Amino acid sequence: MEKTVRLNLKGSPPVEVSAQGLNGFEALKALSTDNMEKMAAIKINGEIKDLSAEINSSAQIEPVYTTSEEGLQIVRHSAAHVMAEAVKDLFPGVKVTIGPAIKDGFYYDFDYERRFEAKDLPDIESKMAEIIDKDLAFIRSEVPREEAIDLFKAQGEPYKVELLEDLSEEKVSIYRQGNFTDLCRGPHVPSTGKIKAFHLTNVAGAYWKGDEHNAMLSRIYGVAFADQESLDAHLKNLEEAKKRDHRLLGRQLDLFTIRDDVGPGMVIFHPNGAMLRHILEEFMIREHLKRGYELAQGPQLLKTELWKKSGHFDHYGEHMYFTSVEDQSYGIKPMNCVAHMLIYSSKLRSYRELPKRYFELGTVHRHERSGVLHGLIRARQFTQDDAHILCTHEQLKGEIKSILDFVRDIMAIFGFDYHLEISTRPTKSIGTDEDWERAIHALIESVEEHNLPYQINEGEGAFYGPKIDVMLKDALERSWQCATIQCDFALPDRFDLTYVGADGEKHRPAMIHRVILGSIERFLGILIEHYAGAFPVWLAPVQSIVLTITDRNIPYGEDLSKTLFGAGIRVETDFRNEKLSFKVREAQMKKIPYMLVVGDKEMETGHVTVRLRDGRNLPSMSPGELIDRIRGESEKRR
RNA sequence: GCCAGCGUAGCUCAGCAGGCAGAGCAACUGAUUUGUAAUCAGUGGGUCGGGGGUUCGAUUCCCUUCGCUGGCUCCA
């Protein structure tokens, strides 16, 4: 008797069909699903499979379209295979390695006698288009691992062989389209013709298996979307995002410069930029004092002996700057912790004093590798809103939780979304297993009690303890570590920090390093991109500008600007002999929130006409009303 | 640090199969006294990132070095 299976599709009545030769495609057809053309794959009992996957028992099925995020990932992965085929075709002798789907697109890493260049991309794209036109089927097969090793050896693909040798599975899946066979878990779209819109974006070097001791491969990046419109929209978005680049806005808004002749990674803040960071720093000092932190301030240079004692010399020395004076070696601080340890140890501490929270806007220097510098976001000199908390082990979790509250409150003010990453013990580290366990638990429990989602980065912790990193995104959606909370059981030990407990005995305190903004420079960089340079009134280095119509209005304009300045409002003037439209345009490009127009009419009434940055005009108002408005907005931090 | 690309006026960029270095904006000078995103005219401005080489001649080709951009690695 013929076997039948029952297929369930959400929103349709179940269907009984013959199991003979039934696959995903046939099953969806049997249920007369719409849009077969846009089908990338199928979910069988929630598991994503090729459309060609066999179905031999009753199942819940669901189509996966190329327009969905899951479907797009499959399209992108398939595009990577097509690119690999095109590259193998154009560059005989090239060796393939890995090629996954990533956000918005895909990449594939190749090993070839020369590096690929941007000018190779159009040829590769054309060849890919040919392969797509042929609408070649992606054919999955499962083979014993040993057989796959022989297959890739025969094809002269040592990287694939290496990958296979590291696998423990007995059977592996391989996919073939046209002349190209790849080791791959899948799934894939049914045929190359499903790839409707792609573009190769750039080439880059990448180490095999992400290890800098391995060979440098040639990586080609591409993007792929369900249709040409989505691809065009994505490319346009990228162009728009590039206009928010803080390095570009930094010049346009006259915030800062970074110059070759000063040194890479060293920032010069111009008055507007310096005002911006002053506002931010003052704000952060107040927020810390409110939460029971005490101000501290350490020196910029500390004797090298001290850096040896703290462990920085051994573990971080290659990133430090050293200098020598009167035969005495000094190191410029790359971190602020040492002075804070010395403040703690300057006298005998009682458990009644704990926790101690030392806060410093500490400027540090770190010799970052040249290739990683990135405007304000990755600099060699920067200032941290840094604090070190010394507490009992019992207080540790409570302190971590209140830091998470602090982070949440501050990020809400700026309107930042963030995600958390918890890093565990690296191979090169110090401290006892017990200390590490205890610290990691405190971190994880605190995050979980806040109901915050997080990811774990195994082995990514600092050498002295585990950490929680708070990640923010820049205009191009790249993630950067800003706030960080790091446990440290090493430094209290090295500096022999103690407190006298209720039992009259000496105990070792626990310690937390933490920053909220992270680096003021980095945070500013992200902030500039976040607001696209149009800072809210409370942050705007210039809050208002007085624009005169004719020279007759200058004395009145002077009075107005003095009144505003006296009320604590940051005001500039533009009394030049130019047309109003010209002055408005310039103020607009400087993204000044309040443009204050004064002409004969305003002089008569003693009022001011206000144009906002968004183009709106407010009814004319008295200087007093204007001051109230700007102050009110600043207080609300809008 | 590694891979690829790029360094021309204050800024954005053109130019160059090797033959006296250009535009727009900005700056400066003058005219204009102006009502919500660019008034007009004129003037000055460059060791073509630095060093070396090839050449009669290099901004252009080659080497090297510094820096920048995008990745990779790193990121206490």
Side-chain angles (χ1 to χ4, degrees):
Chain A
M1 200 179 92
E2 196 184 42
K3 185 185 171 191
T4 62
V5 296
R6 192 180 174 86
L7 297 174
N8 275 291
L9 175 70
K10 208 174 154 195
S12 309
V15 176
E16 288 278 335
V17 295
S18 161
Q20 186 66 40
L22 183 67
N23 65 24
F25 186 78
E26 295 300 328
L28 289 166
K29 214 157 81 176
L31 283 155
S32 46
T33 323
D34 296 332
N35 282 326
M36 296 300 282
E37 181 53 29
K38 286 196 172 166
M39 212 83 85
I42 183 172
K43 272 192 194 170
I44 302 171
N45 294 327
E47 211 177 321
I48 199 153
K49 298 274 194 183
D50 291 320
L51 280 174
S52 59
E54 282 176 27
I55 299 180
N56 39 36
S57 57
S58 296
Q60 177 80 32
I61 62 170
E62 191 187 331
V64 176
Y65 293 109
T66 57
T67 44
S68 71
E69 205 37 55
E70 281 174 316
L72 274 173
Q73 287 303 101
I74 295 168
V75 169
R76 287 165 183 154
H77 187 187
S78 298
H81 279 227
V82 170
M83 178 165 76
E85 180 178 357
V87 168
K88 281 194 79 163
D89 210 65
L90 290 168
F91 306 97
V94 70
K95 293 177 177 47
V96 298
T97 66
I98 55 160
I102 52 172
K103 183 180 173 355
D104 300 327
F106 57 92
Y107 68 78
Y108 213 111
D109 286 348
F110 302 98
D111 186 8
Y112 188 50
E113 62 199 32
R114 68 167 174 89
R115 310 293 172 190
F116 293 120
E117 298 166 18
K119 49 176 172 285
D120 296 321
L121 299 184
D123 290 342
I124 299 169
E125 281 188 345
S126 309
K127 182 59 76 176
M128 286 173 73
E130 278 175 35
I131 295 166
I132 289 168
D133 274 347
K134 287 185 200 155
D135 200 18
L136 303 168
F138 282 90
I139 299 156
R140 178 191 174 94
S141 48
E142 290 192 9
V143 297
R145 193 171 61 102
E146 292 303 323
E147 196 178 304
I149 289 175
D150 291 343
L151 175 78
F152 286 108
K153 267 186 185 158
Q155 290 189 358
E157 294 289 5
Y159 293 93
K160 290 291 171 192
V161 172
E162 190 180 332
L163 289 173
L164 279 161
E165 281 169 349
D166 287 344
L167 289 177
S168 51
E169 285 93 332
E170 279 307 300
K171 279 200 142 191
V172 298
S173 58
I174 58 176
Y175 278 80
R176 186 189 310 270
Q177 97 268 358
N179 300 318
F180 179 69
T181 307
D182 204 349
L183 169 69
C184 181
R185 283 206 175 79
H188 277 282
V189 293
S191 62
T192 58
K194 295 280 179 186
I195 301 162
K196 300 295 184 193
F198 75 96
H199 174 60
L200 299 185
T201 50
N202 56 318
V203 293
Y207 300 106
W208 168 235
K209 290 183 174 171
D211 185 335
E212 67 177 317
H213 304 295
N214 287 342
M216 172 68 66
L217 307 170
S218 230
R219 174 173 298 179
I220 302 177
Y221 282 96
V223 291
F225 286 85
D227 49 55
Q228 192 61 38
E229 293 74 50
S230 312
L231 174 62
D232 291 345
H234 173 257
L235 295 175
K236 191 155 176 280
N237 278 343
L238 268 186
E239 288 308 307
E240 289 302 312
K242 281 182 188 160
K243 291 182 193 164
R244 299 213 312 267
D245 189 316
H246 75 282
R247 293 162 300 187
L248 189 66
L249 287 166
R251 188 163 46 236
Q252 284 170 3
L253 302 177
D254 201 12
L255 299 174
F256 64 89
T257 45
I258 299 173
R259 304 165 45 117
D260 305 6
D261 53 357
V262 172
M266 305 293 178
V267 183
I268 298 177
F269 282 92
H270 295 206
N272 285 337
M275 178 56 81
L276 186 59
R277 66 174 289 173
H278 169 73
I279 294 162
L280 200 58
E281 289 177 350
E282 198 189 47
F283 167 66
M284 288 310 286
I285 289 172
R286 281 204 309 271
E287 293 297 316
H288 278 84
L289 294 177
K290 249 165 53 179
R291 290 171 173 80
Y293 286 80
E294 298 174 281
L295 294 178
Q297 183 84 61
Q300 211 59 43
L301 289 173
L302 291 83
K303 283 186 183 171
T304 301
E305 284 308 308
L306 205 49
W307 294 117
K308 286 181 178 163
K309 183 176 180 181
S310 69
H312 289 82
F313 187 86
D314 285 340
H315 291 93
Y316 201 66
E318 57 186 317
H319 295 282
M320 288 179 66
Y321 295 92
F322 291 96
T323 185
S324 189
V325 181
E326 289 177 348
D327 293 331
Q328 182 68 58
S329 174
Y330 291 83
I332 303 179
K333 67 173 173 177
M335 275 161 248
N336 302 300
C337 28
V338 170
H340 296 186
M341 299 303 100
L342 299 178
I343 296 168
Y344 182 91
S345 67
S346 64
K347 62 180 188 182
L348 197 59
R349 302 289 175 181
S350 152
Y351 72 97
R352 294 171 190 276
E353 296 181 70
L354 301 184
K356 296 299 287 181
R357 306 187 187 98
Y358 300 122
F359 172 68
E360 171 172 0
L361 281 168
T363 300
V364 297
H365 291 75
R366 297 180 184 176
H367 183 258
E368 303 283 2
R369 294 217 263 183
S370 59
V372 305
L373 300 175
H374 183 79
L376 295 182
I377 287 177
R378 193 90 185 254
R380 283 183 174 158
Q381 178 189 316
F382 55 93
T383 300
Q384 297 177 296
D385 60 333
D386 202 2
H388 295 91
I389 297 172
L390 293 141
C391 61
T392 66
H393 289 275
E394 293 67 43
Q395 291 168 330
L396 191 62
K397 205 169 104 185
E399 287 300 310
I400 293 167
K401 286 175 73 175
S402 61
I403 297 165
L404 286 171
D405 286 338
F406 198 171
V407 168
R408 180 197 57 211
D409 294 350
I410 297 298
M411 293 308 145
I413 285 171
F414 297 103
F416 276 124
D417 288 330
Y418 55 91
H419 76 271
L420 303 181
E421 297 183 4
I422 298 180
S423 299
T424 61
R425 184 167 195 168
T427 39
K428 193 183 159 194
S429 58
I430 53 179
T432 65
D433 289 348
E434 191 196 349
D435 283 344
W436 275 87
E437 274 308 300
R438 194 163 47 184
I440 287 170
H441 274 114
L443 293 176
I444 291 177
E445 282 168 25
S446 303
V447 168
E448 285 182 345
E449 283 170 31
H450 271 73
N451 280 324
L452 293 165
Y454 63 93
Q455 76 180 58
I456 298 258
N457 296 331
E458 294 293 349
E460 302 271 301
F463 76 85
Y464 52 74
K467 58 176 185 168
I468 302 174
D469 290 328
V470 177
M471 312 296 287
L472 300 184
K473 284 184 176 155
D474 69 12
L476 287 174
E477 306 259 296
R478 292 172 291 209
S479 283
W480 298 94
Q481 177 201 310
C482 288
T484 182
I485 306 170
Q486 312 185 338
C487 295
D488 188 338
F489 294 103
L491 222 43
D493 234 35
R494 284 173 174 263
F495 283 87
D496 193 25
L497 303 187
T498 57
Y499 65 87
V500 179
D503 56 3
E505 299 293 316
K506 281 192 173 176
H507 300 273
R508 185 76 75 215
M511 179 173 124
I512 303 168
H513 307 246
R514 46 103 293 179
V515 287
I516 304 297
L517 303 183
S519 133
I520 300 292
E521 282 78 358
R522 172 175 292 182
F523 192 79
L524 276 178
I526 290 175
L527 205 56
I528 290 166
E529 304 197 353
H530 178 63
Y531 291 123
F535 301 107
V537 172
W538 77 280
L539 283 172
V542 181
Q543 296 174 308
S544 59
I545 183 163
V546 179
L547 311 176
T548 46
I549 306 282
T550 81
D551 289 355
R552 283 194 301 284
N553 312 126
I554 291 176
Y556 180 68
E558 290 280 14
D559 284 351
L560 178 65
S561 88
K562 275 183 193 148
T563 306
L564 294 175
F565 183 79
I569 287 165
R570 298 186 288 276
V571 59
E572 271 187 2
T573 58
D574 186 350
F575 296 161
R576 290 175 303 172
N577 173 14
E578 295 288 353
K579 285 168 68 173
L580 180 63
S581 55
F582 180 84
K583 298 185 187 183
V584 165
R585 178 170 190 271
E586 292 209 339
Q588 194 76 47
M589 289 195 306
K590 289 183 188 166
K591 301 180 195 282
I592 298 172
Y594 282 89
M595 285 163 244
L596 312 175
V597 178
V598 295
D600 294 343
K601 280 187 287 188
E602 287 73 18
M603 272 173 78
E604 266 174 47
T605 56
H607 276 199
V608 51
T609 300
V610 178
R611 178 195 160 102
L612 300 176
R613 182 168 52 189
D614 62 14
R616 276 188 299 152
N617 276 298
L618 301 180
S620 79
M621 60 179 80
S622 70
E625 287 170 311
L626 175 65
I627 290 166
D628 287 347
R629 185 187 163 101
I630 296 179
R631 277 185 177 161
E633 221 172 302
S634 295
E635 276 159 23
K636 284 188 222 139
R637 299 219 166 80
R638 285 192 309 205

